[in-house]
Amino acid sequence: MTRTSPSRNQPSRVQPSRVHPSRRAFLAGGLAAGAAGAFLAAPSPAYAGETEGISWPARRELPAFTRPSHLDALMMAGDTAEDVKLLVTTLQGLVNRERPRIYVVVGKPSEGADTWLKDTHVPYTTFTDPWQVLDRHLHRAKGIVVYDPEVVETVNVATTIGALRGGVIASPDLAGKLTAAPYDLPVLDDLRGRFDSNLAATTWAFEHLWPRTSHRVLFGVNPGQSVPIPPDNWKDFQEVVREDRPIRDSSNRAVHDLDLSAFLGGEAVYLRFTDSQPADGWGPAVHRLTVRADGTVVADLTVGTDAERAALFDKGGSTVKPQSEGTDAHRFADGTNYFVYRLPVPDGTSKLVVSVDMWNQYLVFASKTAPAVSSDDRRPASQQLRDYAVATQAMPFWLASNDSPEETTLMERIFAAVDMGTPYLGWFTDEFNGVRLASRHGVYVLAADFLENASVFGGVRAPIRPQRVPAAPKPAKKVYLTFTFSEGDNLQYDQHRMRQLWDHPDRGKVPLNWSVSPLLADVAPVMMSHYLTTATAADTLVAGPSGPGYFFPSLWPEKELPKFLAATRSYLDRPGLDVMYALDDRPALTEASAAAYNDNLDLLGVFYNMWFVRSDTTVMDGDLPVSTQLAIGDRAVMRDRILANAEDFDGSAPVFVAVGVPAWDLTPGDIVWIVDQVRAKLGDDVAAVRGDHYFTLLRQAKGLAG
């Protein structure tokens, strides 16, 4: 599930192990002597069960907050200074921990600034000036923690200290204002000059703050953003080679000898790799670069090695895919992402040739002049999820899930320090590597990097009852189509893009499956309730990847997967989610994974992965149908792929085609168009059906129970 947009439980049968021994440790312990100076006197975090307004019994995956009685709703402009946003967000978490009082909207969310706010039915007063809200609530803070803008990870360290000591975080620029009248807030800690790198800051936090934080939930919160790339950043770059054909299967793999002698004259040559066809999500893949100066090899860079990483001037959102069956390790950059290498050139070089082993849709530029800015340079920035981390007294961190062995090692140490079945909220520097690391440690992911006001929605009660299911159509010899919107595991998608799609005027005209996170029952019951109660007879909610949360089932410790699924089954049962959408990093669900799902969840069937050209169904574990999903973000190509799949239909037996709908690219209107186009070709031989009806009909066709 590659996200391309600014871009993942009801009373559960939880086993005794879900009462975290790690929490007992932080309730009983303190910091190592001398670890944090004055911070040693800080009280231990609260709540083993319920205190300070948070209720978090063992059977709940995520906490319930006290019901709000009134909200100060801040409609904050998107261009508000980042340090003010950080101050507001940490104050919001601090205040809402006791009782939700502050609701914050930044900019103009796709679903509307006050759409969900009105749905809470909580009285509110609207503000547009953040200092009006700050003036009303800063007296609740015990002080400030000053972060170091030169080391952006200190934003997360400061957040953790503030959460444990009842403080808010502040930039050096704001510190003077907040320590003076009328606020007169003391400085609880000042992190300026304390750390020389982001990794050092996170390592210190894990060694000294982690024992005092909640371990029931992990937060991957990016504390920074890339500095703006100026429009003329690439003005000195010239094209040297490109692939114009839409190739995505590495069939054009070759070693290209690029003569870059025309770019000599500086201390280095810069080589920039971009996507020649950014609309389709398949960019350049590079395995190796060999640099020859006057015939002598001066650099030999294989992707994923220390030497290759050292040569990167700008990662540009690229990522590394490790070696797998049939594929060498390679760096790739899809869409608007890119990567730039800085290749030093020996003095006196007259001929420079760089041999590049690459494939797929590449567009390569070169320059002898360094770009003015690298996107790897970051500055502190706000992310709305931070309020939830403060409220739960967790330790937010941001570590590379790829391209940095040291940071990846620390991330694994953190994952290993929590119990099996712990949720990770936020996101990663690389989706698939991050989900792999989490899955191996029994940690599931809830994409939530742009989730807003979780510390409010967790206190708003709303009824969650099983979705209504109309009678399935009678079996017939037809081509049955079913369409499933992707991204449902993604909490920020459920809050923003899904609501926008849900309110589309064409919803209800054709059957659609809407993947959704079962954990909405904890995080935002009002959202789950809204989707359940306003669904038409054509709408079906299905569990988003890969059940309670996003993980790769094949990588979850095999003996632990059944326990985890059994413990969280009620999160699917309560809203009546009997169809699941699963993702894994392999083309087929494993037998062990299928058995775990079949034995512990009451499922009609499983939709598996997407981006396939064909949709095929395999019956696994005796009676569990698993249908792969074909998908593409272009509706005309999707229509053509459906028609190609329908060629199997000869009228003697039904044909079943599952279609994954890329939620960032297509709308219900596009699916109406596709169905009309397919019906124009196939007439009455085609029927679009809900996901539950799809699997009911499929089971009948294959003679399966249920």
Side-chain angles (χ1 to χ4, degrees):
M1 176 192 56
T2 302
R3 300 188 309 153
T4 57
S5 177
S7 312
R8 215 240 181 67
N9 292 272
Q10 316 160 74
S12 43
R13 293 186 238 166
V14 180
Q15 342 230 339
S17 63
R18 291 294 294 158
V19 181
H20 291 246
S22 53
R23 184 178 310 102
R24 290 195 291 271
F26 80 67
L27 287 171
L31 292 174
F39 187 75
L40 284 169
S44 296
Y47 65 69
E50 179 175 359
T51 186
E52 291 190 301
I54 288 182
S55 174
W56 203 347
R59 69 179 184 274
R60 283 186 66 101
E61 294 296 291
L62 292 168
F65 290 72
T66 302
R67 294 173 187 252
S69 57
H70 181 273
L71 295 170
D72 287 343
L74 172 59
M75 303 298 171
M76 188 161 48
D79 61 357
T80 300
E82 293 297 326
D83 58 352
V84 174
K85 292 179 185 175
L86 285 165
L87 174 61
V88 167
T89 306
T90 52
L91 179 65
Q92 180 188 23
L94 191 68
V95 170
N96 290 357
R97 182 192 300 165
E98 179 182 346
R99 178 184 293 275
R101 294 181 173 91
I102 301 175
Y103 187 95
V104 181
V105 175
V106 179
K108 299 178 180 180
S110 59
E111 77 279 8
D114 59 358
T115 298
W116 288 116
L117 178 60
K118 290 178 178 177
D119 286 346
T120 66
H121 301 294
V122 177
Y124 63 90
T125 303
T126 301
F127 299 87
T128 57
D129 182 353
W131 286 100
Q132 290 179 306
V133 175
L134 289 166
D135 288 346
R136 289 168 64 86
H137 295 283
L138 268 173
H139 68 277
R140 303 178 190 276
K142 295 179 180 178
I144 65 171
V145 183
V146 183
Y147 58 84
D148 185 348
E150 299 301 315
V151 183
V152 294
E153 186 60 27
T154 60
V155 170
N156 279 336
V157 179
T159 298
T160 306
I161 295 173
L164 295 177
R165 297 193 64 184
V168 293
I169 71 172
S171 67
D173 289 342
L174 286 179
K177 180 174 183 176
L178 295 172
T179 54
Y183 305 109
D184 296 316
L185 290 171
V187 176
L188 302 176
D189 208 339
D190 189 335
L191 303 180
R192 285 177 289 182
R194 184 87 61 87
F195 307 103
D196 60 7
S197 70
N198 293 317
L199 179 59
T202 310
T203 301
W204 181 88
F206 182 57
E207 292 174 350
H208 300 298
L209 303 180
W210 169 265
R212 297 175 64 86
T213 61
S214 170
H215 301 165
R216 291 193 67 175
V217 57
L218 298 171
F219 285 92
V221 182
N222 189 344
Q225 63 184 11
S226 297
V227 298
I229 301 295
D232 63 350
N233 204 50
W234 316 112
K235 61 183 175 60
D236 295 315
F237 281 73
Q238 299 177 33
E239 180 181 326
V240 292
V241 65
R242 76 159 63 210
E243 172 60 81
D244 282 325
R245 296 171 295 173
I247 296 179
R248 307 162 185 155
D249 60 2
S250 71
S251 59
N252 63 337
R253 180 175 182 176
V255 176
H256 299 264
D257 292 328
L258 308 180
D259 187 344
L260 303 182
S261 303
F263 301 97
L264 294 171
E267 62 179 13
V269 169
Y270 296 84
L271 207 55
R272 180 172 182 249
F273 294 82
T274 67
D275 189 344
S276 66
Q277 301 185 46
D280 71 353
W282 291 83
V286 173
H287 170 62
R288 184 179 179 183
L289 298 90
T290 304
V291 183
R292 293 179 175 85
D294 295 330
T296 301
V297 174
V298 295
D300 195 0
L301 311 174
T302 299
V303 163
T305 62
D306 290 341
E308 186 261 348
R309 283 189 289 270
L312 280 167
F313 173 85
D314 186 350
K315 293 179 184 176
S318 67
T319 190
V320 171
K321 184 172 182 179
Q323 182 176 6
S324 59
E325 185 176 347
T327 306
D328 286 324
H330 56 277
R331 182 174 297 279
F332 63 95
D334 301 334
T336 58
N337 294 327
Y338 61 89
F339 49 100
V340 180
Y341 290 106
R342 179 184 182 277
L343 307 175
V345 180
D347 291 339
T349 299
S350 60
K351 186 175 182 62
L352 183 72
V353 176
V354 179
S355 301
V356 186
D357 182 356
M358 62 182 172
W359 57 92
N360 288 350
Q361 296 165 180
Y362 50 79
L363 174 55
V364 186
F365 300 86
S367 172
K368 65 180 179 181
T369 305
V373 171
S374 166
S375 68
D376 293 340
D377 297 331
R378 295 191 299 155
R379 62 187 183 186
S382 175
Q383 209 172 76
Q384 284 301 99
L385 182 61
R386 191 170 300 278
D387 70 301
Y388 204 37
V390 171
T392 55
Q393 291 181 287
M395 187 194 85
F397 60 90
W398 187 249
L399 293 164
S401 55
N402 68 317
D403 273 359
S404 175
E406 297 82 7
E407 293 193 23
T408 299
T409 297
L410 180 55
M411 180 181 285
E412 291 202 82
R413 287 179 62 195
I414 296 173
F415 287 162
V418 297
D419 289 350
M420 290 277 176
T422 296
Y424 171 97
L425 275 69
W427 203 232
F428 301 101
T429 58
D430 174 72
E431 173 181 351
F432 296 105
N433 287 336
V435 177
R436 288 185 190 105
L437 291 172
S439 300
R440 290 189 182 104
H441 290 279
V443 170
Y444 67 94
V445 178
L446 299 171
D449 40 348
F450 293 95
L451 176 67
E452 295 181 334
N453 297 299
S455 63
V456 174
F457 288 114
V460 178
R461 310 297 189 258
I464 297 176
R465 303 185 181 94
Q467 60 186 323
R468 293 163 291 186
V469 182
K474 293 182 179 180
K477 295 174 182 178
K478 292 178 177 286
V479 176
Y480 287 108
L481 307 179
T482 195
F483 297 88
T484 304
F485 274 97
S486 65
E487 306 296 332
D489 63 293
N490 185 338
L491 292 174
Q492 65 99 353
Y493 161 81
D494 295 337
Q495 181 178 35
H496 300 304
R497 175 65 171 171
M498 181 172 171
R499 181 64 186 266
Q500 181 187 22
L501 294 172
W502 192 261
D503 292 341
H504 193 284
D506 286 333
R507 180 175 65 87
K509 292 182 178 180
V510 298
L512 295 173
N513 309 318
W514 300 87
S515 64
V516 68
S517 171
L519 267 292
L520 276 181
D522 283 356
V523 175
V526 68
M527 295 182 193
M528 178 70 88
S529 180
H530 178 81
Y531 293 130
L532 288 168
T533 57
T534 60
T536 71
D539 298 312
T540 314
L541 298 188
V542 304
S546 292
Y550 180 20
F551 60 94
F552 293 149
S554 67
L555 298 181
W556 196 280
E558 188 172 316
K559 292 182 180 179
E560 299 295 328
L561 182 58
K563 300 176 187 177
F564 170 64
L565 296 176
T568 54
R569 171 176 170 164
S570 62
Y571 281 90
L572 278 69
D573 288 348
R574 187 176 167 195
L577 308 181
D578 55 9
V579 173
M580 189 187 77
Y581 170 16
L583 284 173
D584 209 330
D585 68 344
R586 57 188 60 216
L589 193 66
T590 67
E591 291 290 345
S593 299
Y597 282 120
N598 207 24
D599 292 346
N600 296 283
L601 301 180
D602 189 16
L603 298 174
L604 284 172
V606 174
F607 295 123
Y608 185 72
N609 281 3
M610 56 190 293
W611 306 113
F612 292 99
V613 175
R614 290 194 55 80
S615 172
D616 295 302
T617 298
T618 303
V619 176
M620 304 189 72
D621 195 48
D623 61 355
L624 179 66
V626 178
S627 292
T628 57
Q629 299 180 102
L630 63 88
I632 189 69
D634 181 282
R635 68 181 192 175
V637 178
M638 182 178 284
R639 172 203 59 197
D640 295 342
R641 288 189 178 179
I642 291 171
L643 291 171
N645 277 252
E647 291 176 357
D648 292 343
F649 180 69
D650 60 9
S652 64
V655 169
F656 296 87
V657 182
V659 184
V661 181
W664 303 119
D665 303 321
L666 301 176
T667 71
D670 293 309
I671 308 308
V672 170
W673 181 89
I674 290 168
V675 171
D676 287 345
Q677 291 277 307
V678 173
R679 283 176 176 159
K681 292 283 188 181
L682 302 180
D684 292 338
D685 287 336
V686 66
V689 295
R690 297 162 47 112
D692 44 10
H693 291 170
Y694 171 93
F695 281 116
T696 296
L697 293 166
L698 193 153
R699 283 175 172 272
Q700 291 172 344
K702 293 185 176 293
L704 302 176

